[in-house]
Amino acid sequence: MFRTALRNVLAHKARLLMTVLAVVLGVAFVSGTLVFTDTLSKALSGQSAKSYEGVAVSVTSYGQSRNEDGQKEGEVGISQQTLDKVKAVKGVDSVSGRVSGFAGVGDENGKLIGSGWANKGANYAPVKDGKDPRYAFTEGTGPAKADQIALDKETAVTGKYKVGDKVRVATNGPVKEYTLTGVFTTEDGDVNAGGSLVLFDTAVAQELYLKPGFYQELSVGARAGTSADQLLGEIKPLLDSKNTKAQTGAALADEQAKQVAKGMSNMNQMLLAFAGIALFVGVFLIYNTFTMLVTQRTKELALLRAVGANRGQVMRSVLAEALVVGLLSAVIGLVSGIGLAVGMRSAIEALGAKLPAGDLVIAPGTVVAALVIGVLVTTLAALLPAWRTGRIAPVAAMGSAHLPATAKSLLLRNVLGSVISLAGIGVVMLGVSMGGDGRMVIGAGAFFMLIGLIVMLPLLSKPVIAAVRPLLQKVFGVPGKLAAQNAVRNPRRTAVTAASLAIGLTLVTTLSVLGITMGKAVDRMSTDKLKADYKVSMAAQGMSLDKSVAETLAKAPGIKAVSPQADGYLKIGDSFRSASGVNPAAIGELLNIETVSGSLGSLAQGEVLVAESTAKKQNLSVGSALQVQYDDGQKATLKVGGVYKDLEGLLSPYVLDNKILAEHSEDQYIREVYVNTTGGASKAAQQKVVDALGKNPAMTVATQQDMRNEMGGIINTMLNIMYGLLGMALIISVLGVVNTLAMSVFERTQEIGMLRAIGLDRSRVKNMIRLEAVVISLFGAVLGVAIGVFLAWAVGTTLAKSVPNYALVLPWDRIGIFLLLAAVVGVLAAMWPARSAARLNMLTAIKTE
């Protein structure tokens, strides 16, 4: 029987090729993901370990801690005195203090070099030999004076800077000019990710990023014969344990390796989820393929039964075919996945990101996963056709080339599908009623709803396709009528084919509706709530602007109104609440703040504005006394001067005059500065703002449209990535349509011959097959779009309260494109089966049993 199975595999190469391709795609995605992330994880960990070579002990400061009253205590970093104490420890060979933060370098046109978030500045910390072991200089030397810097090689090349040139560098304040003293190479991860690194003299870096005489980190080298653990034990008692942490260089490298692995795990999960979707869709194709093969060999299998083969042997022969196909597919998929991993690396580097060098990692677990997944998916998909094969009675099989499903089996299937679907819809609605906590419940309900619909698709196919039959007949005549009839002739197979398209388009539609809706909500927020001409912020997202930015802009010619959006914290009761510091005289011109009660002018009187939702929760109203504790520990009583409609994303729940917040904050975080110009928004006005900031490469001056595009661009990028990843599932769906049509042509060989004999020419035979493909494809697509819209609505209801101006938007243009693509898929998939049907010899076809 096994030899028979092998012969059958080789006898149906064309059919099995599509199954192999479906499994290969899924396995390649899985193995490629695992190889890529394992390789990148090892390379990043190796890079991290290399940066700590020679570091026996590392001491890190975590900033000032807070006591129970919310007051900061301890030092802001590691003092010079602590460094000197560590240096005096027996067995210490060298100690270098480190401090770092953001620094942006402009090119000859004043534009920022490198990715904003990865642009760093640090101090040059030479040890006893006069060199800093972290950096290898290719030109010149490290900075030794306040007006000197050194640059990483890539930044110097990009900016066309040479030793001795003047370089404009900005942190979070005004641009300063420095003399370039050297160019170096580094293993710094941010530089390898496309950023830049500026080395300052230590005193300058401390002034910029921390406090004179203080460090964020100490790197301690050990003398020969002194162990890192011994040194660690002697250093720990010298430190402020509340704010600092000491560990060996090896332990720190291991810790960072775990962090890298954790970061890779998130990428792994996302990519593997899409691989799982592709494999799930592939199950339908494999099931259809083996159903076709069994149908084509019904008489052959019956003959085997007649000559003595039992049901188990026949079933095992079909499963053996699946095992061979699965194993072959898994091996090809594994090899393809390795190639995919190499391609992913090249693609990322082509986009400008530099990945650390490292050998390709093919873990034993990856090989095992690829083989198990390939074999398991194929075998499970073939299990039901194999079981049905064993149940075919020899006499019945000899008398019929294809046995239709009984009415009883379809009835049971429809009842089961209806129950699962209704249960899934019920769980989704339960999740909707739970609000923001119900998204996981909605996900579970969506899974059961899809499974139920897949089970009951044969029931749905007949009425849905019957509804479009008159239109097809009217437009396309006889081929249209026959196509509609043929599409529902075998409802099981039509349902399986449509299911794969429905799953893919459900996901695509859900993501599209949610993405477009979120984008419109952000756009409405920008249009309705933001009146400022421009928003000034740091190029590195999350970085604070210097307080001098708002002061400088307020004095610049052509500037009408300026307000910072500064973040602070107020301790109210036992918890800290976020607060926004603004300019009371200008904020009303820059943001559309609608007061429910009280007035915006109360800010200038030292009073506080409270968001409407917060006021309701805290039972606050105009005139209420609010007991607060500021960032520096001082306590005060603030009067509520007004209640305003929530502006999430623009203002915190509590709004104060920024002068009050700044008085109680040593290093205030200023997220952005809003600006209005005298003549309104224009290119000339925008240039005035840029000029007022000294053409600072580290800052961006965004228009209202830029602000809208910022979030919209992120959403569109995410959608495009999702479309690309889901594209593989749709490719597998196309193969499924090809399979179904090929089987349909095989089953109707005699019928097609008769149609040809009574006058249906080749072109109309082709049209009949094409229309059948389009009908099946659009049936799956319409279901997928409908389910996708429903799920997007369900998830959207859980977001509505947390997203201002949220209102469901149906992107009819994209939905139209999805349906059009489904029709195109049908036409393309029908090319080979339609051609085969049209080329049938009518006399030979008529004689076919």
Side-chain angles (χ1 to χ4, degrees):
M1 293 300 293
F2 185 70
R3 284 199 303 271
T4 303
L6 286 178
R7 179 181 60 77
N8 287 324
V9 169
L10 297 174
H12 301 90
K13 300 182 185 68
R15 297 278 185 274
L16 291 172
L17 179 63
M18 287 179 280
T19 297
V20 168
L21 187 56
V23 180
V24 164
L25 286 171
V27 171
F29 208 158
V30 171
S31 55
T33 296
L34 294 175
V35 170
F36 176 72
T37 51
D38 286 347
T39 300
L40 187 57
S41 180
K42 184 179 179 182
L44 290 171
S45 299
Q47 182 185 68
S48 176
K50 191 173 181 180
S51 65
Y52 286 101
E53 284 181 1
V55 178
V57 175
S58 175
V59 182
T60 307
S61 168
Y62 293 95
Q64 292 176 291
S65 59
R66 293 180 184 270
N67 59 24
E68 292 180 358
D69 295 326
Q71 294 178 322
K72 291 182 179 180
E73 56 184 12
E75 295 181 332
V76 294
I78 305 167
S79 67
Q80 182 65 42
Q81 288 78 9
T82 303
L83 184 150
D84 293 337
K85 289 178 185 178
V86 172
K87 196 171 185 179
V89 171
K90 186 179 179 180
V92 170
D93 183 54
S94 63
V95 182
S96 57
R98 305 285 176 182
V99 63
S100 63
F102 172 80
V105 180
D107 62 16
E108 57 187 1
N109 298 317
K111 291 185 178 180
L112 184 69
I113 297 174
S115 304
W117 60 271
N119 291 337
K120 287 174 55 179
N123 65 309
Y124 179 67
V127 289
K128 60 182 182 180
D129 60 356
K131 295 181 180 179
D132 191 326
R134 287 195 178 184
Y135 312 107
F137 278 80
T138 58
E139 296 178 51
T141 59
K145 297 179 181 179
D147 63 345
Q148 296 178 341
I149 60 162
L151 290 176
D152 69 276
K153 188 175 180 180
E154 289 295 326
T155 301
V157 170
T158 303
K160 300 177 182 178
Y161 291 120
K162 297 179 180 179
V163 173
D165 287 350
K166 297 292 184 181
V167 181
R168 299 173 77 247
V169 180
T171 51
N172 64 341
V175 182
K176 293 184 180 179
E177 200 168 68
Y178 298 86
T179 301
L180 183 63
T181 62
V183 177
F184 59 88
T185 58
T186 176
E187 291 295 325
D188 188 283
D190 287 333
V191 174
N192 284 332
S196 63
L197 179 58
V198 182
L199 295 181
F200 299 95
D201 176 65
T202 295
V204 174
Q206 288 176 329
E207 182 72 36
L208 287 171
Y209 302 125
L210 196 60
K211 187 177 178 180
F214 285 81
Y215 302 92
Q216 295 164 336
E217 180 188 350
L218 300 181
S219 297
V220 184
R223 290 180 181 172
T226 304
S227 71
D229 291 329
Q230 178 186 343
L231 211 54
L232 180 64
E234 295 185 27
I235 290 173
K236 274 187 175 181
L238 305 175
L239 307 175
D240 179 357
S241 60
K242 290 183 179 179
N243 302 326
T244 55
K245 180 181 179 181
Q247 55 190 325
T248 63
L252 183 59
D254 289 342
E255 184 179 290
Q256 293 200 356
K258 289 178 182 177
Q259 291 176 351
V260 168
K262 187 177 180 181
M264 290 295 104
S265 175
N266 295 331
M267 183 191 295
N268 245 351
Q269 290 172 9
M270 183 188 76
L271 293 175
L272 289 176
F274 285 99
I277 292 167
L279 285 167
F280 183 61
V281 172
V283 166
F284 296 99
L285 172 57
I286 299 164
Y287 167 82
N288 247 358
T289 300
F290 277 93
T291 300
M292 287 168 56
L293 294 175
V294 167
T295 303
Q296 287 179 321
R297 290 164 39 214
T298 301
K299 287 192 174 182
E300 174 190 325
L301 294 171
L303 183 60
L304 289 172
R305 290 289 311 281
V307 297
N310 59 37
R311 288 183 176 182
Q313 286 177 310
V314 172
M315 181 176 173
R316 285 194 295 273
S317 73
V318 176
L319 290 177
E321 290 180 47
L323 182 67
V324 171
V325 172
L327 190 60
L328 175 65
S329 304
V331 172
I332 298 173
L334 175 61
V335 175
S336 302
I338 295 170
L340 179 63
V342 174
M344 288 170 69
R345 183 188 181 101
S346 300
I348 290 173
E349 290 181 341
L351 293 173
K354 293 177 289 181
L355 300 179
D359 296 331
L360 199 67
V361 177
I362 305 173
T366 301
V367 177
V368 172
L371 295 176
V372 169
I373 289 170
V375 171
L376 194 63
V377 167
T378 311
T379 305
L380 287 176
L383 192 59
L384 185 57
W387 177 74
R388 284 180 180 162
T389 300
R391 296 187 66 197
I392 297 174
V395 175
M398 287 182 180
S400 178
H402 47 87
L403 300 175
T406 63
K408 181 181 177 182
S409 68
L410 283 175
L411 177 63
L412 289 172
R413 176 171 178 157
N414 294 335
V415 171
L416 181 63
S418 300
V419 170
I420 297 173
S421 296
L422 290 173
I425 292 171
V427 174
V428 169
M429 296 309 294
L430 174 64
V432 169
S433 67
M434 293 170 65
D437 298 325
R439 285 168 210 150
M440 293 298 292
V441 176
I442 291 173
F447 175 76
F448 286 109
M449 190 175 77
L450 280 172
I451 294 297
L453 284 168
I454 289 168
V455 173
M456 65 181 294
L457 273 177
L459 174 67
L460 293 173
S461 63
K462 287 190 175 182
V464 172
I465 295 175
V468 299
R469 186 188 301 169
L471 177 64
L472 288 172
Q473 185 174 353
K474 184 176 181 181
V475 176
F476 299 100
V478 173
K481 179 181 179 181
L482 292 173
Q485 290 175 342
N486 293 331
V488 292
R489 179 175 292 187
N490 191 324
R492 284 178 183 272
R493 193 162 58 238
T494 296
V496 171
T497 306
S500 59
L501 275 168
I503 292 168
L505 281 171
T506 294
L507 295 169
V508 169
T509 303
T510 303
L511 292 170
S512 295
V513 173
L514 283 174
I516 298 297
T517 299
M518 291 292 289
K520 293 291 184 183
V522 170
D523 190 60
R524 278 193 292 270
M525 183 176 69
S526 301
T527 304
D528 298 343
K529 305 300 180 185
L530 194 63
K531 297 196 292 184
D533 294 332
Y534 304 105
K535 181 185 78 173
V536 177
S537 59
M538 293 296 293
Q541 194 172 11
M543 279 287 302
S544 172
L545 291 164
D546 189 77
K547 63 181 181 181
S548 64
V549 173
E551 296 169 359
T552 301
L553 289 171
K555 297 174 185 176
I559 305 296
K560 181 182 177 183
V562 176
S563 176
Q565 209 307 27
D567 289 350
Y569 291 93
L570 300 174
K571 188 178 182 184
I572 301 173
D574 295 327
S575 58
F576 285 90
R577 314 273 182 172
S578 62
S580 292
V582 300
N583 177 6
I587 193 64
E589 298 180 49
L590 301 164
L591 295 180
N592 185 13
I593 304 175
E594 297 179 53
T595 52
V596 178
S597 58
S599 70
L600 193 60
S602 62
L603 285 174
Q605 313 304 317
E607 297 175 1
V608 61
L609 289 183
V610 183
E612 185 178 18
S613 60
T614 302
K616 288 178 181 178
K617 289 178 184 176
Q618 303 295 323
N619 197 25
L620 298 172
S621 59
V622 175
S624 296
L626 193 62
Q627 303 297 323
V628 303
Q629 179 179 304
Y630 292 110
D631 201 41
D632 59 359
Q634 292 189 31
K635 296 180 180 179
T637 300
L638 293 174
K639 180 182 177 183
V640 176
V643 176
Y644 71 94
K645 288 189 177 180
D646 293 50
L647 285 175
E648 290 189 43
L650 291 176
L651 285 178
S652 298
Y654 300 91
V655 182
L656 288 168
D657 183 341
N658 192 48
K659 290 179 181 178
I660 298 174
L661 274 184
E663 284 176 5
H664 300 283
S665 179
E666 185 179 347
D667 188 18
Q668 192 177 38
Y669 177 78
I670 301 176
R671 188 191 311 174
E672 52 219 8
V673 173
Y674 296 115
V675 182
N676 267 354
T677 50
T678 50
S682 66
K683 286 188 177 181
Q686 186 177 15
Q687 190 60 47
K688 284 182 182 179
V689 178
V690 172
D691 292 341
L693 294 170
K695 297 181 179 178
N696 193 318
M699 296 180 191
T700 59
V701 179
T703 64
Q704 285 198 6
Q705 188 59 49
D706 292 333
M707 290 179 243
R708 295 189 194 107
N709 294 342
E710 184 179 344
M711 182 56 73
I714 295 171
I715 292 172
N716 285 331
T717 299
M718 290 179 64
L719 282 177
N720 289 335
I721 291 172
M722 299 300 179
Y723 291 158
L725 293 173
L726 289 169
M728 186 170 59
L730 295 177
I731 290 172
I732 295 173
S733 300
V734 173
L735 299 177
V737 178
V738 175
N739 247 3
T740 295
L741 293 174
M743 187 60 195
S744 179
V745 170
F746 166 76
E747 288 179 350
R748 303 197 323 263
T749 299
Q750 188 179 61
E751 177 187 314
I752 292 170
M754 290 294 294
L755 289 171
R756 289 289 315 284
I758 61 175
L760 196 70
D761 58 27
R762 289 185 176 183
S763 64
R764 286 195 286 178
V765 169
K766 287 183 179 180
N767 282 341
M768 177 182 70
I769 303 298
R770 290 193 194 105
L771 288 171
E772 184 180 344
V774 171
V775 166
I776 293 172
S777 299
L778 285 177
F779 171 56
V782 169
L783 283 176
V785 167
I787 299 167
V789 169
F790 172 69
L791 293 178
W793 167 82
V795 174
T797 55
T798 67
L799 298 169
K801 290 184 179 179
S802 58
V803 179
N805 304 303
Y806 184 92
L808 189 70
V809 177
L810 295 181
W812 294 110
D813 53 343
R814 296 202 183 194
I815 290 174
I817 290 172
F818 298 156
L819 296 176
L820 179 62
L821 286 175
V824 171
V825 161
V827 172
L828 293 177
M831 289 178 66
W832 172 54
R835 184 169 177 269
S836 298
R839 294 182 66 186
L840 285 174
N841 183 289
M842 64 181 76
L843 294 179
T844 304
I846 290 171
K847 291 188 292 182
T848 302
E849 296 183 10

